[in-house]
């Protein structure tokens, strides 16, 4: 589904991604962990072309894309993204947020979009909030709307960038539950998160990043119990 | 009683005689603002472009217009270009006020657009929207809302600045006052009349902008 080869990204002199090679297979759930500043967000943003890597290749569903690709927006539509701070559109209702991509990008007629929107909101358990503005709902609800908004595009893969780290602890569970359901339905997912429960329950693979490199990867349970690298050990000790 | 050299009873007597001039003031202001809004939006967007060929003309326009007096700009359009194109005074006043306000409004829009969080654009792009769609559907609606207070301020300035059209012989309020003052020999009274007109108009404008702001707040939503 996603193939990355020799990816490098610099911000000025800062080498943020250093020779990343990785694959995400269809229906796979890959969890990415690593200290703040290790390049996790940048990696996701490069896959969605919100940032452009200077070197290396990214293939999405077998098709290579980069900054020069024409109609990059069409590729972005196939890659769903959920942000740490939700980034809901404050001037649109919950339903408006969910159907924005359907009506504007997919050009689906409004009525049909509404129907799909209702199904999506039901899926994230927010049918009753359709006509409310984002400012009126909790953080956990916002993130669930954001997930529904991304799902509306029927993406081939969903990227989650610390989806629960801006939430109050009591709201984390409801978002993780929606994500677990997605994983069980077979959605291909790449999730930056330090929620170990989630990683062990639905993660197929876990990647540990440090200073722009993939240091180690493995099945979550094993990586967690038996890390091979000293840096991984130190990091896991810190977050657990 | 002090014996003042003024006859303030002239104020109500002559007040209605300024309607036509007030109408001209309103017209210059209204159409000037309209031109300014269009120019301002286009220039503001151009100014934000990363393409030098696009943002340089916008920067130059803003630099020149903000760096020279409106009075001079009006005179250049009306007297200065007369050999090239003859522009009537009303259109000259409207164009002058419009071009002048366009530069300020461009900066208002630019600031408002830049104040919309980066994540908004990113969320729109991640849904597969083009840059243009993200701008039109997501960023501009939020930016317009944030521009309302500074725009209201700019409109009031434009209304008052329309008095400079008197220098190119548009018989708006100020010129009318000076003409009436000369013919009646009651200059202060006539000037006070237009003062009242301006105050009434700016008050109404302020109230309208305030109500618009309130209306926009009802659907408020800030995260
Ligand atoms: N737009 C940017 N410009 C400059 N530096 C950036 C930018 N975005 C991120 N960085 C830097 O790149 C590094 C990696 O950031 P990031 O990918 O956000 O890490 P993580 O998500 O793992 O915390 C950090 O040092 C960060 O300061
Ligand atoms: Mg991050």
């Amino acid at each position: 589904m996603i193939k990355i080869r020799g990816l490098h990204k610099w911000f000025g002199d800062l080498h943020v991604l250093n020779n990343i090679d990785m694959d995400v297979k269809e229906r796979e759930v890959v969890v990415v962990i690593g200290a703040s500043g290790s390049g996790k967000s940048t990696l996701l943003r490069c896959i969605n072309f919100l940032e452009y890597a200077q070197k290396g290749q990214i293939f999405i569903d077998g098709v290579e894309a980069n900054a020069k690709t024409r109609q990059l927006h069409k590729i972005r539509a196939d890659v769903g993204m959920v942000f740490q701070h939700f980034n809901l559109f404050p001037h649109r209702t919950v339903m408006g947020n969910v159907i924005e991509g359907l009506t504007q990008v997919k050009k689906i007629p409004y009525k049909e979009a509404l129907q799909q929107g209702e199904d999506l909101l039901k899926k994230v358990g927010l049918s009753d909030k359709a006509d409310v503005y984002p400012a009126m709902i909790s953080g956990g609800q916002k993130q669930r709307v954001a997930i529904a908004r991304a799902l509306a595009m029927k993406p081939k893969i969903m990227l989650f960038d610390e989806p629960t780290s801006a939430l109050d602890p009591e709201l984390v569970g409801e978002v993780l539950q929606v994500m677990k359901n997605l994983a069980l339905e077979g959605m291909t997912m790449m999730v930056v998160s330090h929620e170990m429960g989630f990683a062990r329950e639905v993660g197929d693979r876990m990647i540990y990043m440090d200073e722009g490199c993939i240091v180690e990867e493995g099945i979550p349970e094993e990586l967690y119990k038996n890390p091979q690298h000293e840096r991984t050990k130190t990091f896991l000790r810190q977050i657990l | 009683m002090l014996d003042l050299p003024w006859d303030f009873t002239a104020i109500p007597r002559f007040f209605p005689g300024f309607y036509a001039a007030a109408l001209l003031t309103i017209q210059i202001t209204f159409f000037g603002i309209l031109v300014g809004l269009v120019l301002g939006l286009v220039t503001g967007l151009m100014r934000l472009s990363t393409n030098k060929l696009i943002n340089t003309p916008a920067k130059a326009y803003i630099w020149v217009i903000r760096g020279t007096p409106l009075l001079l700009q009006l005179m250049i359009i009306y007297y200065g270009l007369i050999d090239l194109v003859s522009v009537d005074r009303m259109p000259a006043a409207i164009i002058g006020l419009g071009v002048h306000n366009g530069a300020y409004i461009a900066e208002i829009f630019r600031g408002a657009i830049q104040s919309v969080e980066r994540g908004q654009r990113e969320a729109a792009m991640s849904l597969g929207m083009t840059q243009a769609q993200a701008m039109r559907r997501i960023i501009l609606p939020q930016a317009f809302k944030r521009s309302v207070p500074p725009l209201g301020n700019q409109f009031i300035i434009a209304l008052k600045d329309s008095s400079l059209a008197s220098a190119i012989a548009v018989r708006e309020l100020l010129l009318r006052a000076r003409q009436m003052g000369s013919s009646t020999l009651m200059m202060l009274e006539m000037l006070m009349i237009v003062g009242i007109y301006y105050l009434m108009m700016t008050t109404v404008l302020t109230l309208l902008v305030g109500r618009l702001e309130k209306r926009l707040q009802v659907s408020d939503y800030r995260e």
Side-chain angles (χ1 to χ4, degrees):
Chain A
M1 180 59 63
I2 287 189
K3 188 164 99 179
I4 298 175
R5 290 293 175 270
L7 201 73
H8 289 267
K9 169 77 188 169
W10 287 268
F11 283 119
D13 288 338
L14 194 65
H15 202 167
V16 183
L17 293 179
N18 186 353
N19 198 26
I20 300 285
D21 288 310
M22 71 173 286
D23 296 270
V24 181
K25 291 192 272 301
E26 203 167 333
R27 304 174 77 87
E28 197 177 23
V29 177
V30 175
V31 178
V32 182
I33 60 172
S36 170
S38 58
K40 308 178 298 293
S41 297
T42 305
L43 177 59
L44 289 195
R45 294 161 60 80
C46 283
I47 295 172
N48 207 6
F49 303 98
L50 293 173
E51 300 284 359
Y52 299 119
Q54 283 95 342
K55 216 175 131 195
Q57 294 168 298
I58 300 174
F59 300 86
I60 291 168
D61 219 7
V63 181
E64 186 180 358
N66 55 46
K68 295 191 195 86
T69 305
R70 283 186 181 209
Q71 307 227 301
L72 209 47
H73 59 99
K74 293 207 171 131
I75 291 170
R76 283 200 197 95
D78 282 339
V79 180
M81 180 104 174
V82 174
F83 302 87
Q84 182 176 4
H85 296 287
F86 330 125
N87 298 355
L88 290 183
F89 307 134
H91 59 306
R92 298 260 187 276
T93 60
V94 163
M95 180 61 90
N97 270 273
V98 174
I99 64 172
E100 181 72 16
L102 290 175
T103 57
Q104 298 305 309
V105 179
K106 293 209 157 171
K107 312 281 185 200
I108 290 175
Y110 182 71
K111 273 205 172 142
E112 216 173 296
L114 270 186
Q115 268 169 8
Q116 293 191 26
E118 276 164 23
D119 291 342
L120 286 157
L121 283 179
K122 200 158 136 198
K123 191 169 179 157
V124 298
L126 289 172
S127 297
D128 54 328
K129 300 288 183 197
D131 299 324
V132 168
Y133 282 94
M136 312 298 280
I137 59 179
S138 74
Q141 292 171 330
K142 280 181 194 166
Q143 196 59 297
R144 286 188 278 153
V145 174
I147 293 172
R149 177 177 69 177
L151 285 178
M153 300 306 293
K154 300 205 171 65
K156 293 174 179 162
I157 178 167
M158 287 280 283
L159 309 176
F160 293 83
D161 190 2
E162 305 206 33
T164 59
S165 60
L167 298 178
D168 292 335
E170 73 272 18
L171 302 176
V172 169
E174 60 189 66
V175 172
L176 289 180
Q177 191 54 52
V178 168
M179 291 170 60
K180 279 177 201 168
N181 293 345
L182 265 184
L184 294 177
E185 283 172 23
M187 174 62 77
T188 311
M189 295 164 60
M190 193 164 155
V191 184
V192 174
S193 173
H194 295 142
E195 293 291 339
M196 283 304 148
F198 173 84
R200 293 162 75 179
E201 202 173 322
V202 297
D204 297 306
R205 207 142 48 85
M206 189 146 86
I207 289 179
Y208 170 61
M209 278 182 74
D210 191 32
E211 296 183 348
C213 302
I214 293 180
V215 176
E216 187 169 352
E217 61 181 294
I219 295 165
E221 194 66 39
E222 284 172 14
L223 190 83
Y224 165 78
K225 278 204 179 129
N226 196 11
Q228 299 300 306
H229 284 71
E230 205 48 52
R231 281 191 281 178
T232 321
K233 280 178 202 164
T234 317
F235 176 74
L236 284 170
R237 224 176 295 126
Q238 278 165 1
I239 64 164
L240 294 173
Chain B
M1 265 299 275
L2 253 167
D3 198 18
L4 293 169
W6 303 302
D7 175 14
F8 289 119
T9 63
I11 292 178
R13 257 188 296 132
F14 284 91
F15 196 86
F18 284 76
Y19 282 162
L23 210 62
L24 273 187
T25 289
I26 290 170
Q27 280 173 352
I28 302 168
T29 307
F30 180 81
F31 290 109
I33 286 172
L34 223 56
V35 172
L37 282 172
V38 173
L39 280 175
L41 183 57
V42 173
T43 312
L45 288 172
M46 283 172 67
R47 177 83 173 67
L48 285 168
S49 166
T50 46
N51 185 335
K52 269 208 157 71
L53 282 173
I54 296 175
N55 70 38
T56 309
K59 277 185 194 164
Y61 161 61
I62 293 168
W63 174 59
V64 170
I65 294 297
R66 295 210 306 176
T68 56
L70 172 57
L71 188 53
L72 177 68
Q73 292 159 13
L74 286 170
M75 293 205 164
I76 286 175
I77 291 171
Y78 186 60
Y79 298 115
L81 299 181
I82 206 139
D83 299 327
L84 194 66
V85 279
S86 142
V87 194
D88 257 344
R89 6 184 156 161
M90 264 306 271
I94 289 169
I95 293 168
L97 201 65
V99 168
H100 183 80
N101 277 280
Y104 287 91
I105 292 173
E107 290 293 89
I108 291 173
F109 282 148
R110 179 174 71 103
I113 289 169
Q114 281 178 327
S115 78
V116 176
E117 299 70 24
R118 195 174 66 151
Q120 290 291 307
R121 192 176 143 272
E122 293 180 347
M125 304 281 281
S126 78
L127 288 178
M129 287 195 195
T130 60
Q131 295 261 15
Q133 279 178 319
M135 185 54 87
R136 190 167 50 81
R137 299 275 309 173
I138 305 303
I139 297 171
L140 283 183
Q142 296 182 60
F144 281 145
K145 189 172 152 169
R146 294 178 197 191
S147 332
V148 168
L151 278 180
N153 202 30
Q154 188 61 37
F155 293 169
I156 286 165
I157 294 172
L159 175 65
K160 293 186 290 185
D161 278 354
S162 71
S163 60
L164 290 169
S166 59
I168 57 170
V170 177
R171 290 187 61 194
E172 46 65 73
L173 280 172
L174 189 63
L175 184 56
R176 174 83 178 146
R178 289 176 53 196
Q179 289 175 342
M180 291 288 287
S182 306
S183 61
T184 60
L185 297 176
M186 293 190 286
M187 188 57 88
L188 181 73
E189 293 85 334
M190 299 303 136
L191 290 172
M192 287 184 75
I193 289 174
V194 302
I196 294 167
Y197 269 100
Y198 279 118
L199 206 52
M200 279 167 35
M201 294 191 293
T202 51
T203 305
V204 170
L205 201 52
T206 308
L207 289 174
L208 284 177
V209 172
R211 273 178 59 172
L212 183 59
E213 263 177 70
K214 269 231 180 76
R215 275 261 300 274
L216 289 171
Q217 266 166 16
V218 173
S219 66
D220 206 4
Y221 35 70
R222 231 151 300 180
E223 281 193 71

